[in-house]
Amino acid sequence: AGGARDGDQLVGFSYIECGGHGDFAATSGLIVDPEYRLLGLASRIKEKTFQLARERFPYAKIFSITTSPAVMKMNLRLGYVPVTLSDLTKDDEFWHGCEGCCNYDVLCRNDRRICLCTGMMYDPRAAEGNKKGNSQKVKRTFLGKVFKRN
């Protein structure tokens, strides 16, 4: 877990959870005190959380689930791509983190395949392929996954 402080006051927060024996990590709970919003603090917390997840779990796929357009934009800048929820982990422990969400009933009714939240993933192997000039291959694979399911 990590946070941003203004003196002794906690003004921003996010955390990382790991599962699947290191196969995945999730960056979650990005919260910024309303008085400290629009200062770029959320982006800095998100970047630091992402960097820490990459350092501690360099081969893990990193997930983020959100309903926030601002968080989606931050994730896209970091290299996450939108994925269907069924592309995320099957690990029950991970999904317990959603129990406090107002959308949890939607998630459960749909066997963790559909929710009001958007799943996003950073896959270090796909990112490495992009660095080697394989971005078209990665995009086709991603689009195939998204549009293949009905």
Side-chain angles (χ1 to χ4, degrees), residues 124-136:
R125 288 170 280 292
E128 187 59 35
N130 282 340
K131 289 180 187 174
K132 294 179 180 177
N134 295 330
S135 61
Q136 290 301 317

PDB file of all heavy atoms in Angstrom, residues 124-136:
ATOM      1  N   PRO A 124       3.216  -7.743 -19.434  1.00  0.00           N
ATOM      2  CA  PRO A 124       4.612  -7.407 -19.749  1.00  0.00           C
ATOM      3  C   PRO A 124       5.121  -8.097 -21.010  1.00  0.00           C
ATOM      4  O   PRO A 124       5.942  -7.550 -21.726  1.00  0.00           O
ATOM      5  CB  PRO A 124       5.394  -7.856 -18.512  1.00  0.00           C
ATOM      6  CG  PRO A 124       4.499  -8.780 -17.783  1.00  0.00           C
ATOM      7  CD  PRO A 124       3.092  -8.411 -18.140  1.00  0.00           C
ATOM      8  N   ARG A 125       4.602  -9.286 -21.332  1.00  0.00           N
ATOM      9  CA  ARG A 125       5.045  -9.976 -22.554  1.00  0.00           C
ATOM     10  C   ARG A 125       4.533  -9.255 -23.796  1.00  0.00           C
ATOM     11  O   ARG A 125       5.252  -9.100 -24.772  1.00  0.00           O
ATOM     12  CB  ARG A 125       4.591 -11.436 -22.520  1.00  0.00           C
ATOM     13  CG  ARG A 125       5.397 -12.254 -21.491  1.00  0.00           C
ATOM     14  CD  ARG A 125       4.848 -13.635 -21.247  1.00  0.00           C
ATOM     15  NE  ARG A 125       3.715 -13.745 -20.351  1.00  0.00           N
ATOM     16  CZ  ARG A 125       3.731 -13.507 -19.032  1.00  0.00           C
ATOM     17  NH1 ARG A 125       4.832 -13.104 -18.456  1.00  0.00           N
ATOM     18  NH2 ARG A 125       2.659 -13.671 -18.289  1.00  0.00           N
ATOM     19  N   ALA A 126       3.299  -8.785 -23.764  1.00  0.00           N
ATOM     20  CA  ALA A 126       2.761  -8.021 -24.899  1.00  0.00           C
ATOM     21  C   ALA A 126       3.489  -6.689 -25.025  1.00  0.00           C
ATOM     22  O   ALA A 126       3.775  -6.234 -26.124  1.00  0.00           O
ATOM     23  CB  ALA A 126       1.264  -7.798 -24.731  1.00  0.00           C
ATOM     24  N   ALA A 127       3.792  -6.055 -23.883  1.00  0.00           N
ATOM     25  CA  ALA A 127       4.507  -4.772 -23.910  1.00  0.00           C
ATOM     26  C   ALA A 127       5.895  -4.956 -24.501  1.00  0.00           C
ATOM     27  O   ALA A 127       6.368  -4.118 -25.262  1.00  0.00           O
ATOM     28  CB  ALA A 127       4.603  -4.188 -22.500  1.00  0.00           C
ATOM     29  N   GLU A 128       6.548  -6.057 -24.190  1.00  0.00           N
ATOM     30  CA  GLU A 128       7.883  -6.335 -24.752  1.00  0.00           C
ATOM     31  C   GLU A 128       7.763  -6.529 -26.262  1.00  0.00           C
ATOM     32  O   GLU A 128       8.593  -6.061 -27.016  1.00  0.00           O
ATOM     33  CB  GLU A 128       8.488  -7.580 -24.099  1.00  0.00           C
ATOM     34  CG  GLU A 128       9.916  -7.842 -24.500  1.00  0.00           C
ATOM     35  CD  GLU A 128      10.873  -6.705 -24.163  1.00  0.00           C
ATOM     36  OE1 GLU A 128      10.687  -6.050 -23.124  1.00  0.00           O
ATOM     37  OE2 GLU A 128      11.822  -6.476 -24.944  1.00  0.00           O
ATOM     38  N   GLY A 129       6.695  -7.188 -26.716  1.00  0.00           N
ATOM     39  CA  GLY A 129       6.457  -7.354 -28.150  1.00  0.00           C
ATOM     40  C   GLY A 129       6.275  -6.024 -28.838  1.00  0.00           C
ATOM     41  O   GLY A 129       6.753  -5.820 -29.950  1.00  0.00           O
ATOM     42  N   ASN A 130       5.605  -5.074 -28.183  1.00  0.00           N
ATOM     43  CA  ASN A 130       5.425  -3.736 -28.758  1.00  0.00           C
ATOM     44  C   ASN A 130       6.759  -3.041 -28.947  1.00  0.00           C
ATOM     45  O   ASN A 130       6.977  -2.358 -29.928  1.00  0.00           O
ATOM     46  CB  ASN A 130       4.532  -2.878 -27.861  1.00  0.00           C
ATOM     47  CG  ASN A 130       3.072  -3.211 -28.020  1.00  0.00           C
ATOM     48  OD1 ASN A 130       2.671  -3.782 -29.014  1.00  0.00           O
ATOM     49  ND2 ASN A 130       2.290  -2.859 -27.029  1.00  0.00           N
ATOM     50  N   LYS A 131       7.675  -3.225 -28.000  1.00  0.00           N
ATOM     51  CA  LYS A 131       8.994  -2.598 -28.109  1.00  0.00           C
ATOM     52  C   LYS A 131       9.779  -3.155 -29.289  1.00  0.00           C
ATOM     53  O   LYS A 131      10.612  -2.486 -29.848  1.00  0.00           O
ATOM     54  CB  LYS A 131       9.791  -2.820 -26.818  1.00  0.00           C
ATOM     55  CG  LYS A 131       9.270  -2.025 -25.651  1.00  0.00           C
ATOM     56  CD  LYS A 131      10.095  -2.300 -24.426  1.00  0.00           C
ATOM     57  CE  LYS A 131       9.485  -1.652 -23.202  1.00  0.00           C
ATOM     58  NZ  LYS A 131      10.185  -2.029 -21.976  1.00  0.00           N
ATOM     59  N   LYS A 132       9.485  -4.396 -29.669  1.00  0.00           N
ATOM     60  CA  LYS A 132      10.211  -5.031 -30.770  1.00  0.00           C
ATOM     61  C   LYS A 132       9.518  -4.828 -32.107  1.00  0.00           C
ATOM     62  O   LYS A 132       9.853  -5.477 -33.087  1.00  0.00           O
ATOM     63  CB  LYS A 132      10.361  -6.530 -30.488  1.00  0.00           C
ATOM     64  CG  LYS A 132      11.249  -6.813 -29.300  1.00  0.00           C
ATOM     65  CD  LYS A 132      11.352  -8.292 -29.047  1.00  0.00           C
ATOM     66  CE  LYS A 132      12.251  -8.550 -27.847  1.00  0.00           C
ATOM     67  NZ  LYS A 132      12.321  -9.962 -27.514  1.00  0.00           N
ATOM     68  N   GLY A 133       8.494  -3.975 -32.146  1.00  0.00           N
ATOM     69  CA  GLY A 133       7.839  -3.672 -33.414  1.00  0.00           C
ATOM     70  C   GLY A 133       6.680  -4.587 -33.749  1.00  0.00           C
ATOM     71  O   GLY A 133       6.277  -4.655 -34.893  1.00  0.00           O
ATOM     72  N   ASN A 134       6.154  -5.306 -32.770  1.00  0.00           N
ATOM     73  CA  ASN A 134       5.049  -6.227 -33.020  1.00  0.00           C
ATOM     74  C   ASN A 134       3.704  -5.644 -32.612  1.00  0.00           C
ATOM     75  O   ASN A 134       2.780  -6.377 -32.319  1.00  0.00           O
ATOM     76  CB  ASN A 134       5.270  -7.536 -32.237  1.00  0.00           C
ATOM     77  CG  ASN A 134       6.478  -8.288 -32.724  1.00  0.00           C
ATOM     78  OD1 ASN A 134       6.822  -8.204 -33.883  1.00  0.00           O
ATOM     79  ND2 ASN A 134       7.116  -9.012 -31.833  1.00  0.00           N
ATOM     80  N   SER A 135       3.551  -4.352 -32.624  1.00  0.00           N
ATOM     81  CA  SER A 135       2.324  -3.735 -32.123  1.00  0.00           C
ATOM     82  C   SER A 135       1.099  -4.167 -32.919  1.00  0.00           C
ATOM     83  O   SER A 135       0.036  -4.347 -32.360  1.00  0.00           O
ATOM     84  CB  SER A 135       2.444  -2.212 -32.115  1.00  0.00           C
ATOM     85  OG  SER A 135       2.653  -1.737 -33.421  1.00  0.00           O
ATOM     86  N   GLN A 136       1.208  -4.370 -34.227  1.00  0.00           N
ATOM     87  CA  GLN A 136       0.055  -4.791 -35.012  1.00  0.00           C
ATOM     88  C   GLN A 136      -0.408  -6.175 -34.587  1.00  0.00           C
ATOM     89  O   GLN A 136      -1.592  -6.433 -34.462  1.00  0.00           O
ATOM     90  CB  GLN A 136       0.373  -4.766 -36.512  1.00  0.00           C
ATOM     91  CG  GLN A 136       0.540  -3.376 -37.072  1.00  0.00           C
ATOM     92  CD  GLN A 136      -0.707  -2.535 -36.879  1.00  0.00           C
ATOM     93  OE1 GLN A 136      -1.831  -2.996 -37.077  1.00  0.00           O
ATOM     94  NE2 GLN A 136      -0.538  -1.291 -36.467  1.00  0.00           N
TER      95      GLN A 136
END
